[in-house]
Amino acid sequence: MAKQNGVINFSEQFPHLSQAPIVESVVDIRIASDVKWDEITLKKDLQNRLKDYPKIEELREFRYHVSVASGPDQQHKAEDLGCVGLKLQSEDGLHIVQFNQGAFVFSRLKPYQDWNQFTSEAFRLWEIYRAIFRPITVQRLGVRFINRIPAQSDFSTLEDYYKNSPRELAELDWPQGGFLMHNVFQVPETDYAVNVVKTRVPPNATDKEHGLVLDIDVYSQSSFTYTDEDLKSCLTKMRWVKNKVFYTCITDKILERLK
């Protein structure tokens, strides 16, 4: 279980954003369990329990083999290792949950409502997962928020968006056509680490503008015997860390726009 708060300071408040750029929020709980996997029974059970999640599909795992020969003699083979999870989606398409071997994953797609709604639904579904798989320990706990900030197509002024933005190679004086920046930080005096990814994405069917992605994944890989109160306490701390990183990354100019 995570250590005491350390740098986490709940008295520090963060601004409310009426136009929060969250496109997906995720709770990820990896577990150890000795319950035997049975996708047929699980599927029937979930269809009975979760009638508000009518869309269901199997998640399968494959192992790929490539022969050492080269040229036309080289052979590729895919081995189907079977069903390793079930993915269910709510009727409105906003909530997705995975009941996997060894992992529970819950996602809320945009529009994001608020933390209470997000975690309430996550824990409602987690209680079902827990009843079925009877976890012995939690081996990884994570909160991930993927943000997409609308941006100009030429990305010529990244400093307007990120406080610590990816830089061009000044000696070459070449325009920057794209970037992928990945940092990993350890939160002092805790067991938490943070993956922070910055990149760009083109317009798509739902987002007509170019976008800058700020992907923040706060997690702990310390195995612990859990209670629901432990999980809720850890997730609350992780939310604080996520907010601290987000507001540290974006500029005041973007903050005012998102308000």
Side-chain angles (χ1 to χ4, degrees), residues 97-160:
V97 62
Q98 296 180 35
F99 285 72
N100 299 333
Q101 282 184 294
F104 167 86
V105 185
F106 171 72
S107 297
R108 163 76 188 204
L109 304 181
K110 71 172 188 177
Y112 177 80
Q113 187 172 337
D114 57 50
W115 176 259
N116 288 336
Q117 186 277 333
F118 170 55
T119 53
S120 293
E121 183 64 3
F123 273 98
R124 180 179 79 91
L125 298 169
W126 163 252
E127 287 178 4
I128 297 172
Y129 183 92
R130 183 187 61 186
I132 295 171
F133 289 98
R134 301 192 297 276
I136 300 169
T137 58
V138 169
Q139 298 184 318
R140 185 189 190 277
L141 179 64
V143 168
R144 182 180 180 187
F145 276 68
I146 303 173
N147 302 276
R148 188 184 193 279
I149 302 169
Q152 298 297 318
S153 60
D154 60 1
F155 298 98
S156 59
T157 54
L158 287 175
E159 294 82 1
D160 288 343

Short mmCIF file of all heavy atoms in Angstrom, two decimals, residues 97-160:
data_model
loop_
_atom_site.label_atom_id
_atom_site.label_comp_id
_atom_site.label_asym_id
_atom_site.label_seq_id
_atom_site.Cartn_x
_atom_site.Cartn_y
_atom_site.Cartn_z
N VAL A 97 -15.96 -1.03 -19.72
CA VAL A 97 -15.33 -1.77 -18.63
C VAL A 97 -14.78 -3.08 -19.17
O VAL A 97 -15.38 -3.71 -20.03
CB VAL A 97 -16.32 -2.02 -17.47
CG1 VAL A 97 -17.51 -2.87 -17.91
CG2 VAL A 97 -15.61 -2.65 -16.28
N GLN A 98 -13.61 -3.45 -18.68
CA GLN A 98 -13.00 -4.72 -19.04
C GLN A 98 -12.89 -5.61 -17.81
O GLN A 98 -12.34 -5.19 -16.79
CB GLN A 98 -11.60 -4.50 -19.63
CG GLN A 98 -11.58 -3.74 -20.93
CD GLN A 98 -10.17 -3.57 -21.46
OE1 GLN A 98 -9.33 -4.46 -21.31
NE2 GLN A 98 -9.92 -2.43 -22.08
N PHE A 99 -13.43 -6.82 -17.94
CA PHE A 99 -13.28 -7.87 -16.93
C PHE A 99 -12.25 -8.84 -17.49
O PHE A 99 -12.59 -9.73 -18.27
CB PHE A 99 -14.61 -8.55 -16.66
CG PHE A 99 -15.58 -7.75 -15.84
CD1 PHE A 99 -16.22 -6.64 -16.39
CD2 PHE A 99 -15.85 -8.08 -14.52
CE1 PHE A 99 -17.12 -5.89 -15.63
CE2 PHE A 99 -16.74 -7.35 -13.76
CZ PHE A 99 -17.38 -6.24 -14.31
N ASN A 100 -10.99 -8.65 -17.12
CA ASN A 100 -9.90 -9.43 -17.69
C ASN A 100 -9.33 -10.39 -16.67
O ASN A 100 -9.52 -10.23 -15.45
CB ASN A 100 -8.77 -8.50 -18.17
CG ASN A 100 -9.22 -7.55 -19.25
OD1 ASN A 100 -10.15 -7.83 -19.99
ND2 ASN A 100 -8.56 -6.40 -19.33
N GLN A 101 -8.58 -11.38 -17.17
CA GLN A 101 -7.80 -12.21 -16.28
C GLN A 101 -6.75 -11.35 -15.61
O GLN A 101 -5.84 -10.85 -16.26
CB GLN A 101 -7.10 -13.32 -17.06
CG GLN A 101 -7.98 -14.49 -17.46
CD GLN A 101 -7.16 -15.59 -18.14
OE1 GLN A 101 -6.64 -15.39 -19.21
NE2 GLN A 101 -7.06 -16.72 -17.48
N GLY A 102 -6.92 -11.12 -14.32
CA GLY A 102 -5.92 -10.36 -13.59
C GLY A 102 -6.02 -8.86 -13.68
O GLY A 102 -5.14 -8.16 -13.18
N ALA A 103 -7.08 -8.33 -14.31
CA ALA A 103 -7.16 -6.87 -14.44
C ALA A 103 -8.60 -6.40 -14.60
O ALA A 103 -9.38 -6.98 -15.36
CB ALA A 103 -6.32 -6.39 -15.62
N PHE A 104 -8.90 -5.32 -13.90
CA PHE A 104 -10.17 -4.60 -14.04
C PHE A 104 -9.83 -3.22 -14.59
O PHE A 104 -8.98 -2.51 -14.03
CB PHE A 104 -10.86 -4.46 -12.68
CG PHE A 104 -12.00 -3.48 -12.66
CD1 PHE A 104 -13.27 -3.86 -13.04
CD2 PHE A 104 -11.78 -2.16 -12.25
CE1 PHE A 104 -14.32 -2.93 -13.01
CE2 PHE A 104 -12.83 -1.24 -12.22
CZ PHE A 104 -14.09 -1.63 -12.60
N VAL A 105 -10.46 -2.85 -15.69
CA VAL A 105 -10.19 -1.54 -16.32
C VAL A 105 -11.52 -0.86 -16.63
O VAL A 105 -12.37 -1.44 -17.32
CB VAL A 105 -9.38 -1.69 -17.62
CG1 VAL A 105 -9.03 -0.31 -18.17
CG2 VAL A 105 -8.12 -2.52 -17.40
N PHE A 106 -11.69 0.35 -16.13
CA PHE A 106 -12.91 1.12 -16.37
C PHE A 106 -12.55 2.45 -17.01
O PHE A 106 -11.64 3.15 -16.55
CB PHE A 106 -13.67 1.38 -15.07
CG PHE A 106 -14.82 2.33 -15.22
CD1 PHE A 106 -15.97 1.96 -15.89
CD2 PHE A 106 -14.73 3.63 -14.72
CE1 PHE A 106 -17.03 2.85 -16.05
CE2 PHE A 106 -15.78 4.52 -14.87
CZ PHE A 106 -16.93 4.13 -15.54
N SER A 107 -13.28 2.81 -18.08
CA SER A 107 -13.04 4.07 -18.78
C SER A 107 -14.32 4.89 -18.90
O SER A 107 -15.39 4.33 -19.15
CB SER A 107 -12.51 3.81 -20.20
OG SER A 107 -11.29 3.14 -20.18
N ARG A 108 -14.16 6.19 -18.76
CA ARG A 108 -15.22 7.14 -19.07
C ARG A 108 -14.74 7.98 -20.23
O ARG A 108 -13.68 8.62 -20.18
CB ARG A 108 -15.52 8.05 -17.87
CG ARG A 108 -16.30 9.33 -18.19
CD ARG A 108 -17.77 9.08 -18.43
NE ARG A 108 -18.43 10.30 -18.93
CZ ARG A 108 -19.73 10.54 -18.80
NH1 ARG A 108 -20.51 9.66 -18.21
NH2 ARG A 108 -20.24 11.64 -19.29
N LEU A 109 -15.52 8.00 -21.32
CA LEU A 109 -15.18 8.81 -22.48
C LEU A 109 -15.82 10.19 -22.35
O LEU A 109 -16.70 10.42 -21.52
CB LEU A 109 -15.66 8.12 -23.75
CG LEU A 109 -15.16 6.69 -23.97
CD1 LEU A 109 -15.69 6.13 -25.29
CD2 LEU A 109 -13.64 6.62 -23.92
N LYS A 110 -15.37 11.12 -23.19
CA LYS A 110 -15.92 12.48 -23.10
C LYS A 110 -17.39 12.48 -23.53
O LYS A 110 -17.78 11.65 -24.38
CB LYS A 110 -15.08 13.45 -23.93
CG LYS A 110 -15.22 13.29 -25.43
CD LYS A 110 -14.51 14.43 -26.14
CE LYS A 110 -14.78 14.41 -27.62
NZ LYS A 110 -14.16 15.53 -28.33
N PRO A 111 -18.21 13.35 -22.96
CA PRO A 111 -17.83 14.40 -22.01
C PRO A 111 -17.66 13.86 -20.59
O PRO A 111 -18.52 13.16 -20.07
CB PRO A 111 -19.01 15.36 -22.08
CG PRO A 111 -20.18 14.49 -22.43
CD PRO A 111 -19.64 13.42 -23.32
N TYR A 112 -16.51 14.18 -19.99
CA TYR A 112 -16.25 13.84 -18.60
C TYR A 112 -17.14 14.69 -17.71
O TYR A 112 -17.27 15.89 -17.91
CB TYR A 112 -14.77 14.10 -18.29
CG TYR A 112 -14.37 13.85 -16.85
CD1 TYR A 112 -14.13 12.56 -16.40
CD2 TYR A 112 -14.20 14.92 -15.97
CE1 TYR A 112 -13.73 12.32 -15.09
CE2 TYR A 112 -13.80 14.69 -14.66
CZ TYR A 112 -13.57 13.39 -14.22
OH TYR A 112 -13.17 13.17 -12.92
N GLN A 113 -17.78 14.06 -16.71
CA GLN A 113 -18.71 14.79 -15.85
C GLN A 113 -17.99 15.32 -14.62
O GLN A 113 -17.75 16.53 -14.50
CB GLN A 113 -19.87 13.89 -15.44
CG GLN A 113 -20.97 14.59 -14.68
CD GLN A 113 -22.20 13.69 -14.49
OE1 GLN A 113 -22.42 12.73 -15.24
NE2 GLN A 113 -22.98 13.98 -13.47
N ASP A 114 -17.64 14.47 -13.70
CA ASP A 114 -16.86 14.88 -12.53
C ASP A 114 -16.29 13.63 -11.86
O ASP A 114 -16.64 12.51 -12.20
CB ASP A 114 -17.70 15.70 -11.53
CG ASP A 114 -18.95 14.97 -11.05
OD1 ASP A 114 -18.83 13.81 -10.62
OD2 ASP A 114 -20.04 15.55 -11.09
N TRP A 115 -15.40 13.85 -10.90
CA TRP A 115 -14.70 12.75 -10.24
C TRP A 115 -15.67 11.83 -9.50
O TRP A 115 -15.51 10.60 -9.52
CB TRP A 115 -13.66 13.33 -9.28
CG TRP A 115 -12.94 12.30 -8.46
CD1 TRP A 115 -13.16 11.97 -7.16
CD2 TRP A 115 -11.85 11.47 -8.91
NE1 TRP A 115 -12.29 10.98 -6.75
CE2 TRP A 115 -11.48 10.66 -7.81
CE3 TRP A 115 -11.17 11.33 -10.11
CZ2 TRP A 115 -10.44 9.73 -7.88
CZ3 TRP A 115 -10.14 10.40 -10.19
CH2 TRP A 115 -9.79 9.61 -9.09
N ASN A 116 -16.66 12.39 -8.82
CA ASN A 116 -17.58 11.57 -8.04
C ASN A 116 -18.37 10.62 -8.94
O ASN A 116 -18.55 9.43 -8.61
CB ASN A 116 -18.53 12.45 -7.22
CG ASN A 116 -17.84 13.13 -6.07
OD1 ASN A 116 -16.81 12.66 -5.58
ND2 ASN A 116 -18.37 14.25 -5.62
N GLN A 117 -18.86 11.13 -10.06
CA GLN A 117 -19.61 10.27 -10.99
C GLN A 117 -18.70 9.19 -11.55
O GLN A 117 -19.07 8.01 -11.64
CB GLN A 117 -20.20 11.12 -12.11
CG GLN A 117 -21.13 10.36 -13.06
CD GLN A 117 -20.39 9.59 -14.16
OE1 GLN A 117 -19.29 9.96 -14.55
NE2 GLN A 117 -21.01 8.52 -14.64
N PHE A 118 -17.49 9.58 -11.92
CA PHE A 118 -16.52 8.66 -12.51
C PHE A 118 -16.17 7.53 -11.56
O PHE A 118 -16.24 6.34 -11.90
CB PHE A 118 -15.28 9.47 -12.91
CG PHE A 118 -14.09 8.66 -13.32
CD1 PHE A 118 -14.17 7.71 -14.33
CD2 PHE A 118 -12.86 8.86 -12.69
CE1 PHE A 118 -13.06 6.98 -14.71
CE2 PHE A 118 -11.75 8.14 -13.07
CZ PHE A 118 -11.84 7.19 -14.07
N THR A 119 -15.80 7.87 -10.33
CA THR A 119 -15.38 6.83 -9.39
C THR A 119 -16.55 6.03 -8.83
O THR A 119 -16.40 4.84 -8.52
CB THR A 119 -14.57 7.45 -8.23
OG1 THR A 119 -15.31 8.52 -7.64
CG2 THR A 119 -13.23 7.98 -8.73
N SER A 120 -17.73 6.64 -8.74
CA SER A 120 -18.90 5.89 -8.27
C SER A 120 -19.24 4.75 -9.22
O SER A 120 -19.50 3.62 -8.79
CB SER A 120 -20.11 6.82 -8.11
OG SER A 120 -19.91 7.75 -7.07
N GLU A 121 -19.22 5.04 -10.51
CA GLU A 121 -19.50 3.99 -11.49
C GLU A 121 -18.36 2.96 -11.51
O GLU A 121 -18.61 1.75 -11.63
CB GLU A 121 -19.70 4.60 -12.88
CG GLU A 121 -20.06 3.61 -13.96
CD GLU A 121 -21.40 2.92 -13.76
OE1 GLU A 121 -22.12 3.25 -12.79
OE2 GLU A 121 -21.74 2.05 -14.59
N ALA A 122 -17.12 3.43 -11.38
CA ALA A 122 -15.99 2.50 -11.35
C ALA A 122 -16.12 1.53 -10.19
O ALA A 122 -15.93 0.31 -10.37
CB ALA A 122 -14.67 3.28 -11.25
N PHE A 123 -16.48 2.01 -9.01
CA PHE A 123 -16.58 1.13 -7.85
C PHE A 123 -17.82 0.25 -7.90
O PHE A 123 -17.81 -0.87 -7.37
CB PHE A 123 -16.52 1.94 -6.55
CG PHE A 123 -15.12 2.18 -6.07
CD1 PHE A 123 -14.48 3.37 -6.34
CD2 PHE A 123 -14.42 1.20 -5.40
CE1 PHE A 123 -13.16 3.59 -5.94
CE2 PHE A 123 -13.11 1.40 -4.98
CZ PHE A 123 -12.47 2.60 -5.25
N ARG A 124 -18.88 0.70 -8.52
CA ARG A 124 -20.05 -0.18 -8.71
C ARG A 124 -19.65 -1.40 -9.53
O ARG A 124 -20.01 -2.54 -9.19
CB ARG A 124 -21.18 0.58 -9.42
CG ARG A 124 -22.44 -0.27 -9.65
CD ARG A 124 -23.53 0.54 -10.32
NE ARG A 124 -23.33 0.68 -11.75
CZ ARG A 124 -23.83 -0.18 -12.66
NH1 ARG A 124 -24.51 -1.25 -12.27
NH2 ARG A 124 -23.62 0.03 -13.94
N LEU A 125 -18.89 -1.18 -10.58
CA LEU A 125 -18.45 -2.27 -11.44
C LEU A 125 -17.34 -3.09 -10.78
O LEU A 125 -17.28 -4.32 -10.94
CB LEU A 125 -17.98 -1.71 -12.78
CG LEU A 125 -19.06 -0.98 -13.58
CD1 LEU A 125 -18.44 -0.22 -14.75
CD2 LEU A 125 -20.14 -1.92 -14.07
N TRP A 126 -16.46 -2.41 -10.04
CA TRP A 126 -15.40 -3.12 -9.32
C TRP A 126 -15.99 -4.11 -8.32
O TRP A 126 -15.45 -5.22 -8.14
CB TRP A 126 -14.49 -2.12 -8.61
CG TRP A 126 -13.63 -2.72 -7.54
CD1 TRP A 126 -13.76 -2.56 -6.20
CD2 TRP A 126 -12.50 -3.59 -7.72
NE1 TRP A 126 -12.80 -3.27 -5.52
CE2 TRP A 126 -12.01 -3.91 -6.43
CE3 TRP A 126 -11.85 -4.11 -8.83
CZ2 TRP A 126 -10.89 -4.73 -6.23
CZ3 TRP A 126 -10.75 -4.94 -8.63
CH2 TRP A 126 -10.28 -5.24 -7.35
N GLU A 127 -17.08 -3.76 -7.66
CA GLU A 127 -17.70 -4.67 -6.70
C GLU A 127 -18.14 -5.97 -7.38
O GLU A 127 -18.05 -7.05 -6.80
CB GLU A 127 -18.88 -3.99 -6.02
CG GLU A 127 -18.46 -2.92 -5.01
CD GLU A 127 -19.65 -2.23 -4.38
OE1 GLU A 127 -20.81 -2.62 -4.67
OE2 GLU A 127 -19.44 -1.28 -3.60
N ILE A 128 -18.61 -5.86 -8.62
CA ILE A 128 -18.99 -7.06 -9.38
C ILE A 128 -17.75 -7.88 -9.72
O ILE A 128 -17.72 -9.10 -9.57
CB ILE A 128 -19.77 -6.67 -10.64
CG1 ILE A 128 -21.08 -5.97 -10.25
CG2 ILE A 128 -20.05 -7.89 -11.52
CD1 ILE A 128 -21.84 -5.38 -11.43
N TYR A 129 -16.72 -7.19 -10.20
CA TYR A 129 -15.46 -7.87 -10.53
C TYR A 129 -14.90 -8.57 -9.29
O TYR A 129 -14.48 -9.74 -9.36
CB TYR A 129 -14.46 -6.86 -11.06
CG TYR A 129 -13.15 -7.46 -11.51
CD1 TYR A 129 -12.95 -7.85 -12.83
CD2 TYR A 129 -12.09 -7.65 -10.61
CE1 TYR A 129 -11.74 -8.40 -13.25
CE2 TYR A 129 -10.89 -8.20 -11.01
CZ TYR A 129 -10.72 -8.57 -12.34
OH TYR A 129 -9.53 -9.12 -12.74
N ARG A 130 -14.89 -7.88 -8.17
CA ARG A 130 -14.36 -8.44 -6.93
C ARG A 130 -15.14 -9.66 -6.48
O ARG A 130 -14.56 -10.66 -6.05
CB ARG A 130 -14.41 -7.36 -5.84
CG ARG A 130 -13.81 -7.77 -4.52
CD ARG A 130 -14.05 -6.72 -3.48
NE ARG A 130 -15.49 -6.52 -3.26
CZ ARG A 130 -16.01 -5.57 -2.50
NH1 ARG A 130 -15.22 -4.70 -1.91
NH2 ARG A 130 -17.30 -5.47 -2.34
N ALA A 131 -16.46 -9.62 -6.62
CA ALA A 131 -17.28 -10.75 -6.21
C ALA A 131 -17.01 -11.99 -7.08
O ALA A 131 -17.08 -13.12 -6.59
CB ALA A 131 -18.76 -10.38 -6.30
N ILE A 132 -16.70 -11.77 -8.35
CA ILE A 132 -16.46 -12.88 -9.26
C ILE A 132 -15.05 -13.45 -9.11
O ILE A 132 -14.87 -14.67 -9.03
CB ILE A 132 -16.70 -12.44 -10.72
CG1 ILE A 132 -18.17 -12.08 -10.93
CG2 ILE A 132 -16.25 -13.52 -11.71
CD1 ILE A 132 -18.47 -11.43 -12.27
N PHE A 133 -14.04 -12.57 -9.05
CA PHE A 133 -12.65 -13.03 -9.09
C PHE A 133 -11.98 -13.13 -7.72
O PHE A 133 -10.88 -13.67 -7.62
CB PHE A 133 -11.82 -12.10 -10.00
CG PHE A 133 -12.14 -12.27 -11.45
CD1 PHE A 133 -13.02 -11.39 -12.08
CD2 PHE A 133 -11.61 -13.30 -12.19
CE1 PHE A 133 -13.33 -11.54 -13.42
CE2 PHE A 133 -11.91 -13.46 -13.52
CZ PHE A 133 -12.79 -12.58 -14.14
N ARG A 134 -12.60 -12.57 -6.69
CA ARG A 134 -12.10 -12.67 -5.32
C ARG A 134 -10.58 -12.38 -5.25
O ARG A 134 -9.78 -13.27 -4.94
CB ARG A 134 -12.41 -14.04 -4.72
CG ARG A 134 -13.89 -14.36 -4.68
CD ARG A 134 -14.18 -15.57 -3.82
NE ARG A 134 -13.57 -16.79 -4.33
CZ ARG A 134 -14.12 -17.58 -5.27
NH1 ARG A 134 -15.29 -17.25 -5.80
NH2 ARG A 134 -13.51 -18.67 -5.68
N PRO A 135 -10.18 -11.15 -5.56
CA PRO A 135 -8.74 -10.82 -5.57
C PRO A 135 -8.08 -11.08 -4.22
O PRO A 135 -8.67 -10.83 -3.16
CB PRO A 135 -8.74 -9.33 -5.90
CG PRO A 135 -10.05 -9.07 -6.57
CD PRO A 135 -11.02 -10.00 -5.92
N ILE A 136 -6.85 -11.59 -4.29
CA ILE A 136 -6.05 -11.81 -3.09
C ILE A 136 -5.27 -10.55 -2.74
O ILE A 136 -5.25 -10.10 -1.60
CB ILE A 136 -5.09 -13.00 -3.30
CG1 ILE A 136 -5.88 -14.27 -3.62
CG2 ILE A 136 -4.21 -13.20 -2.07
CD1 ILE A 136 -5.02 -15.41 -4.10
N THR A 137 -4.64 -9.98 -3.76
CA THR A 137 -3.89 -8.74 -3.59
C THR A 137 -4.10 -7.84 -4.80
O THR A 137 -4.43 -8.33 -5.89
CB THR A 137 -2.37 -8.96 -3.43
OG1 THR A 137 -1.89 -9.66 -4.58
CG2 THR A 137 -2.07 -9.75 -2.16
N VAL A 138 -3.91 -6.56 -4.61
CA VAL A 138 -3.82 -5.60 -5.72
C VAL A 138 -2.34 -5.45 -6.03
O VAL A 138 -1.53 -5.16 -5.14
CB VAL A 138 -4.45 -4.25 -5.35
CG1 VAL A 138 -4.11 -3.19 -6.40
CG2 VAL A 138 -5.96 -4.40 -5.22
N GLN A 139 -1.96 -5.63 -7.29
CA GLN A 139 -0.55 -5.58 -7.68
C GLN A 139 -0.17 -4.31 -8.43
O GLN A 139 1.00 -3.95 -8.50
CB GLN A 139 -0.21 -6.81 -8.53
CG GLN A 139 -0.41 -8.11 -7.75
CD GLN A 139 0.02 -9.32 -8.55
OE1 GLN A 139 -0.26 -9.41 -9.75
NE2 GLN A 139 0.68 -10.25 -7.89
N ARG A 140 -1.16 -3.66 -9.00
CA ARG A 140 -0.94 -2.35 -9.64
C ARG A 140 -2.24 -1.58 -9.59
O ARG A 140 -3.31 -2.14 -9.84
CB ARG A 140 -0.50 -2.48 -11.10
CG ARG A 140 -0.15 -1.14 -11.75
CD ARG A 140 0.07 -1.28 -13.25
NE ARG A 140 0.62 -0.10 -13.89
CZ ARG A 140 -0.07 0.97 -14.29
NH1 ARG A 140 -1.41 0.99 -14.12
NH2 ARG A 140 0.52 1.99 -14.86
N LEU A 141 -2.15 -0.31 -9.24
CA LEU A 141 -3.32 0.56 -9.21
C LEU A 141 -2.97 1.83 -9.97
O LEU A 141 -1.90 2.40 -9.79
CB LEU A 141 -3.67 0.90 -7.75
CG LEU A 141 -4.85 1.84 -7.52
CD1 LEU A 141 -6.15 1.20 -8.02
CD2 LEU A 141 -4.97 2.17 -6.04
N GLY A 142 -3.86 2.23 -10.87
CA GLY A 142 -3.55 3.40 -11.67
C GLY A 142 -4.75 4.26 -12.00
O GLY A 142 -5.88 3.76 -12.08
N VAL A 143 -4.50 5.54 -12.19
CA VAL A 143 -5.48 6.50 -12.69
C VAL A 143 -4.85 7.20 -13.89
O VAL A 143 -3.72 7.71 -13.78
CB VAL A 143 -5.86 7.55 -11.62
CG1 VAL A 143 -6.64 8.71 -12.24
CG2 VAL A 143 -6.68 6.92 -10.52
N ARG A 144 -5.56 7.21 -15.00
CA ARG A 144 -5.02 7.80 -16.22
C ARG A 144 -6.03 8.78 -16.81
O ARG A 144 -7.22 8.43 -16.94
CB ARG A 144 -4.69 6.71 -17.23
CG ARG A 144 -4.07 7.21 -18.53
CD ARG A 144 -3.79 6.04 -19.46
NE ARG A 144 -3.21 6.49 -20.72
CZ ARG A 144 -2.99 5.69 -21.76
NH1 ARG A 144 -3.31 4.41 -21.68
NH2 ARG A 144 -2.46 6.18 -22.86
N PHE A 145 -5.57 9.97 -17.15
CA PHE A 145 -6.41 10.97 -17.80
C PHE A 145 -5.74 11.40 -19.10
O PHE A 145 -4.59 11.85 -19.08
CB PHE A 145 -6.63 12.18 -16.89
CG PHE A 145 -7.75 11.99 -15.89
CD1 PHE A 145 -7.64 11.08 -14.86
CD2 PHE A 145 -8.92 12.72 -16.01
CE1 PHE A 145 -8.66 10.89 -13.95
CE2 PHE A 145 -9.97 12.55 -15.10
CZ PHE A 145 -9.84 11.63 -14.07
N ILE A 146 -6.46 11.26 -20.20
CA ILE A 146 -5.96 11.65 -21.51
C ILE A 146 -6.67 12.95 -21.90
O ILE A 146 -7.90 12.99 -22.00
CB ILE A 146 -6.21 10.56 -22.55
CG1 ILE A 146 -5.57 9.24 -22.10
CG2 ILE A 146 -5.66 10.99 -23.92
CD1 ILE A 146 -5.91 8.06 -22.98
N ASN A 147 -5.89 14.00 -22.10
CA ASN A 147 -6.41 15.32 -22.45
C ASN A 147 -6.04 15.64 -23.89
O ASN A 147 -4.93 15.35 -24.34
CB ASN A 147 -5.81 16.39 -21.53
CG ASN A 147 -6.11 16.12 -20.07
OD1 ASN A 147 -7.17 16.48 -19.57
ND2 ASN A 147 -5.17 15.48 -19.38
N ARG A 148 -6.98 16.28 -24.60
CA ARG A 148 -6.74 16.71 -25.97
C ARG A 148 -7.07 18.20 -26.07
O ARG A 148 -8.24 18.59 -25.97
CB ARG A 148 -7.60 15.92 -26.95
CG ARG A 148 -7.28 16.16 -28.43
CD ARG A 148 -8.27 15.41 -29.30
NE ARG A 148 -7.86 15.35 -30.70
CZ ARG A 148 -8.03 16.32 -31.59
NH1 ARG A 148 -8.61 17.45 -31.22
NH2 ARG A 148 -7.64 16.18 -32.85
N ILE A 149 -6.04 19.01 -26.23
CA ILE A 149 -6.19 20.46 -26.24
C ILE A 149 -6.21 20.95 -27.69
O ILE A 149 -5.25 20.72 -28.42
CB ILE A 149 -5.05 21.13 -25.47
CG1 ILE A 149 -4.99 20.60 -24.02
CG2 ILE A 149 -5.20 22.64 -25.48
CD1 ILE A 149 -3.75 21.01 -23.27
N PRO A 150 -7.30 21.59 -28.15
CA PRO A 150 -7.33 22.11 -29.52
C PRO A 150 -6.17 23.06 -29.77
O PRO A 150 -5.80 23.86 -28.90
CB PRO A 150 -8.68 22.84 -29.58
CG PRO A 150 -9.50 22.22 -28.50
CD PRO A 150 -8.54 21.87 -27.41
N ALA A 151 -5.57 22.95 -30.98
CA ALA A 151 -4.38 23.75 -31.28
C ALA A 151 -4.35 24.16 -32.74
O ALA A 151 -5.06 23.58 -33.58
CB ALA A 151 -3.12 22.94 -30.94
N GLN A 152 -3.52 25.14 -33.04
CA GLN A 152 -3.31 25.57 -34.42
C GLN A 152 -2.60 24.46 -35.19
O GLN A 152 -1.81 23.70 -34.65
CB GLN A 152 -2.45 26.83 -34.45
CG GLN A 152 -3.10 28.02 -33.76
CD GLN A 152 -4.39 28.45 -34.43
OE1 GLN A 152 -4.47 28.48 -35.66
NE2 GLN A 152 -5.40 28.78 -33.64
N SER A 153 -2.89 24.36 -36.48
CA SER A 153 -2.39 23.25 -37.27
C SER A 153 -0.88 23.25 -37.44
O SER A 153 -0.27 22.20 -37.61
CB SER A 153 -3.04 23.25 -38.66
OG SER A 153 -2.76 24.46 -39.34
N ASP A 154 -0.23 24.43 -37.40
CA ASP A 154 1.21 24.44 -37.65
C ASP A 154 2.04 24.20 -36.39
O ASP A 154 3.24 23.95 -36.46
CB ASP A 154 1.65 25.76 -38.30
CG ASP A 154 1.33 26.97 -37.42
OD1 ASP A 154 0.80 26.79 -36.31
OD2 ASP A 154 1.62 28.10 -37.87
N PHE A 155 1.42 24.24 -35.21
CA PHE A 155 2.11 23.98 -33.95
C PHE A 155 3.38 24.82 -33.82
O PHE A 155 4.38 24.39 -33.24
CB PHE A 155 2.46 22.49 -33.82
CG PHE A 155 1.27 21.59 -33.81
CD1 PHE A 155 0.88 20.95 -34.97
CD2 PHE A 155 0.54 21.38 -32.66
CE1 PHE A 155 -0.23 20.12 -34.98
CE2 PHE A 155 -0.57 20.55 -32.65
CZ PHE A 155 -0.95 19.93 -33.81
N SER A 156 3.36 26.01 -34.39
CA SER A 156 4.58 26.84 -34.39
C SER A 156 4.84 27.50 -33.05
O SER A 156 5.93 28.01 -32.81
CB SER A 156 4.48 27.89 -35.49
OG SER A 156 3.34 28.71 -35.28
N THR A 157 3.86 27.49 -32.18
CA THR A 157 4.03 28.17 -30.90
C THR A 157 3.65 27.21 -29.76
O THR A 157 2.72 27.46 -29.00
CB THR A 157 3.16 29.43 -30.82
OG1 THR A 157 1.78 29.08 -31.12
CG2 THR A 157 3.64 30.47 -31.81
N LEU A 158 4.39 26.10 -29.64
CA LEU A 158 4.10 25.14 -28.58
C LEU A 158 4.25 25.75 -27.20
O LEU A 158 3.61 25.32 -26.24
CB LEU A 158 5.02 23.92 -28.72
CG LEU A 158 4.73 22.97 -29.88
CD1 LEU A 158 5.79 21.89 -29.95
CD2 LEU A 158 3.35 22.34 -29.73
N GLU A 159 5.11 26.77 -27.11
CA GLU A 159 5.30 27.44 -25.82
C GLU A 159 4.03 28.11 -25.33
O GLU A 159 3.91 28.41 -24.14
CB GLU A 159 6.43 28.47 -25.93
CG GLU A 159 7.80 27.89 -26.18
CD GLU A 159 8.05 27.57 -27.65
OE1 GLU A 159 7.14 27.84 -28.47
OE2 GLU A 159 9.12 27.05 -27.98
N ASP A 160 3.08 28.36 -26.23
CA ASP A 160 1.79 28.91 -25.81
C ASP A 160 0.94 27.88 -25.07
O ASP A 160 0.00 28.24 -24.37
CB ASP A 160 1.01 29.43 -27.02
CG ASP A 160 1.60 30.71 -27.58
OD1 ASP A 160 2.39 31.36 -26.87
OD2 ASP A 160 1.27 31.04 -28.73
#
